[in-house]
Every structure is written in structure tokens, then in C-alpha cells.
Amino acid sequence: MRLEVRNATFAYRGGDEILRGISFSVSEGDLLSILGPNGCGKTTLIKCLCGMLKLGGGEILLNDKAIHSLTRAEIARNIGYIAQEHGQVFPYSVLEVALMGRAPHLGWFSLPSDKDIGIAEKTLEMMGISHLRDRPYTEISGGERQLTLIAAVLAQQPKMLVLDEPTSHLDLKNQIFILGIMRKFAKEGLSVVMSTHLPNHALHYSSRVVLMGKGGDITVGSAEEVITEENLSKTYGVDIKVLSVSVPMGTNLRFCMPVECAACID
Amino acid sequence: MLDTVIFQVRLPRVFAGVLVGASLALSGTSFQGLFRNPLVSAQILGVASGAGFGAAIAILLSAEPLLVQASAFAFGIMAVGLAYLISRTYKSPSSLMLVLAGIIVGAFFSALTSLIKYIADPYERLPSIVFWLMGGLSMVSIDDVVWMLPPILFGITVLMLIRWRINVLSMGEEEALAFGVNVERYRLIIVTCSTLMTAAAVSISGIVGWVGLVIPHLGRMLVGPDHKVLVPASIAIGATYLMLVDDLARTLTASEVPLGILTAIVGAPFFAYLLRRKAVGWR
């Protein structure tokens, strides 16, 4: 499983280019974070990655095949995508939502079988939400809803997960929980791509980082290489310090903080 | 005599009621799921306005019942076809564009129908047009039932086969794409089936409102939102409901009350009651 972005360019109709000459690749076991200020095109890039938007120039290759030459079901069997915002109209049960992930594996006229239900139940178990199985999806908390969507996406049995700001509406504990799960998935051989607003998340959890600035300039590399005081300060336009603290386990942990913020602490 | 009453008059009417009710309820359920909106019904894409115009112009030109029926059917389908084509002219043909185009086409055909009413002979043709538009099954013959059977059975069969996919579609267009479902293709299938069924139903019953809107909600209250169960439930409830209301229409007063009036008189307060209850099946 390998996803390659080559010289990608994208502009919305009548607008300026949002993505310009972007190249990077994602392989098995990678956990890649996409970091950057509001409006730099993180969501646009993510939608291009899973074939929701078609590039203006360049190409995106999934296992060496152009992504727009694949059918929706073929893409869905390889890539599981969770959007940033998700409105809900009908109160499907949590299990029914998880079952929808089986769609790319079912024929046009088939209903989910007992086997599909088994797979969906298993993914609920993996997310630790088996007890919510029959609850309406519209009546559970935001964190539980995110876990349900991840369960649905896992039911697709994809080789890669693409998540647009998966932690943005979650409390501290759920953020850590979801990031931990993603790290575990990556260790087990899945590829994970996620966008985030928090440099610390990228620094602590990802193996690789794409740092996007406004106007299309990007920096790609390992978290250590990319997340530096210089790069962050330039990208966000505010002074940012990368501090190092020793944690009880005996290692040093780096974390980022805007200087203005640090100045508040007398 | 008994034979005539049962087999030539009553039975065709019961069958017609069952088929019309099932069609309208199923179209409404499919559209509410597809458009993710609990306020749409079978008529949202202009099929009823188109059929109404088709019937009105046929009545104006000749009062031949078969011609009226065929014209209603054809114009009903044409109206939705037109809405679909208009929605395709936009860069990204979304469900929202389709609904807007349907409203545009519906308004256009309603205006044309008014124009025909305005110029129709007020002693002979106008009453027939108005009566047709009110909707009813009193003129139904066994031939009508046979004629409407193929499009309705086709629609029911296909929608039954793809019913689980409506769940996925109702999560939103982008979400459905992410789940590997070809949204545009399923949208075309659902719209085609619903339109065939509704146009066939309306062409023999006239305009019968408040079935395609209310029955899906009743279905969701009884069996929940999962279309795997909701679709067959809507068919059964719609069929039963219209058959019963048609019985009322026939027997309530000495002269018959048009069915379209009664479905609204029964349907509107019933809908208000449903909305008061908590678990109406959507937020």
C-alpha cells in the first residue's frame, strides 16, 4: 500500500491556487500529520488524497494507479476517510452506522450479511463502544460519535486512514485515546494521514509531517526535522518556542509553545 | 349484479388504492432518505405538477380518459426529466440542485395548469379539470390497474433491492462517496423509480397529497430509521392507509368526498400529532 502525491496543484473554480507543486508519499506504517494555519489548504489536500476533489495538475497514485481512474468502491476498500464536520439527520443506531462501512464490499443489490454484522460488531469492540451498539447515533456524545465513525471506517477494512482534524471536537482524554489508537494502527501496518492544528500532536505522535504554509510552500520530513522553532514561527507568523522537558520515564519530551503564551508565565 | 359490483367496481378500486398508497409512500421514503430531508415527499421534483398539467391539457383538448391518463403520466415523467437536466447543467450536480430544479419546474407547470384552467370552458371542461386535480379513485377501472402495474412493480422491485444503500446515501453525499457508493448513479436510479411509480399512480388517482410525506414518518416511528426495514414497512403502511382513507372517501357522506381532500384532512392533523411525539425518527 503506497500513496504518492506528485506535484499536486489545485484551485477551486475561479479562485487562486490553494495547492501548488505538492509532493510527498505515504507508505505502510506511516503516521503522517498535516500541519498548517487556517486556510492553508489542509482539508483541500485531504479531499484530493481520497479522490473527493480532482487535482488541477499533477497526480495522486494509489499503488501506482491514478486515484481518479479507480471506482469509489475500489478507493473505499483502500482508504477510509473521516471528514471534519458531519451532520446527521436520521437517528441510525451505532451498529447501523458502523455497518455502512461494509458498503464497498457488498454488491449492488446485497444487504449486509451476518458476517458483515460480525465485522461491524468487532470494530465497535475495538473502539470500546460495544455498549453503545443500539443507541441512536444522534444522541451520543461528540467523542462517542467520532469513535463510531472510526469503527465504520475500520469496517471498510482499508489499508489507509485519512482523517480531517480527528481530535478537533474532543476533550483531552478522547484526544489522547484517538491519537493512541492511530499510533497503534500504524504500528500494525496501516497508514494513517491526519490533519491537525496542534503542533504538539504532530510532534508526539507522527512519524512524518507535512507542514503547509500559506501560498503553497510546504516542508516534508520527520517530525523532528520539520517541527522546529524556525519553521513553525515562519509558517504561523508568530514566535514559537520548542521547549524540552524531562519526563519521569527519563527521556526528554519536546513541546511547542507560542512565546506570547510563555511570557504570561512570570 | 353482485359480480359486477365486486369485480368491476370495488375490487379494481381497492387494488388501485393499494398501489397508489404503496407508490406514494415508497417514493416519499426514498426521497426523504436520498435528500436527507424529512420534509420532502414524492412530489418534490415536480412529478405531480407535471402530471396535473398533462391531465389538464388533455381534458381541454379531448375528454378521452385514456388520453388524459397517458398525458398525465408522460408529463409527470417529463417534468422530473426536465428538473434532472436543469440540475445537470450546474458544475457540481448535487441533490440540493436537483431539489431546487424540481421546485422550479413544479412552479412552472403549476402556472401552466392555471393558464389552462383560465382558458377552459367553465361549464364543461373546467369542472373536469378541477375534479381531476382534487384526486380520487371513483373512476378507476380494471384496465387502469393493469396499466399502472408494470411501472409500479418495477419501481418497488428495484427500490427494495437497493434499499440498504439508501441508509448510506442518507449520511450525506461526501460520506456516501467515502463509503464507496457511487452517489450520482444511485440518485438517478432512485429518482427514476420513484418518478415512474408516482407518475403511474397520479395518472389514475389525480393528485393525492400527504401520503408521501406522512407515511415515512409513521414508518420510522414504528420500525426505526433503517431503510432495510423501513422500505417494506412504508409500502405496507402506505397501501393500507390509502385503501382505508379511500373507503372513508366513498362512504363518509352520501356523495363521494374527493380522496385528495380527505388525505389532507386526515393527514395534516395526524402529522401534527406525530411531530408532538418525541421519537419521530429524525432530528
Side-chain angles (χ1 to χ4, degrees), chain A residues 124-154:
Chain A
L124 291 183
E125 205 183 298
M126 284 168 75
M127 289 294 109
I129 47 171
S130 292
H131 59 288
L132 299 174
R133 189 181 182 276
D134 298 314
R135 288 278 299 283
Y137 175 75
T138 42
E139 286 169 21
I140 56 179
S141 75
E144 291 166 339
R145 218 173 290 179
Q146 187 70 290
L147 294 176
T148 307
L149 286 179
I150 295 176
V153 157
L154 288 178

Side-chain angles (χ1 to χ4, degrees), chain B residues 88 100 133 242:
Chain B
R88 297 282 304 185
L100 287 175
L133 290 175
L242 206 74

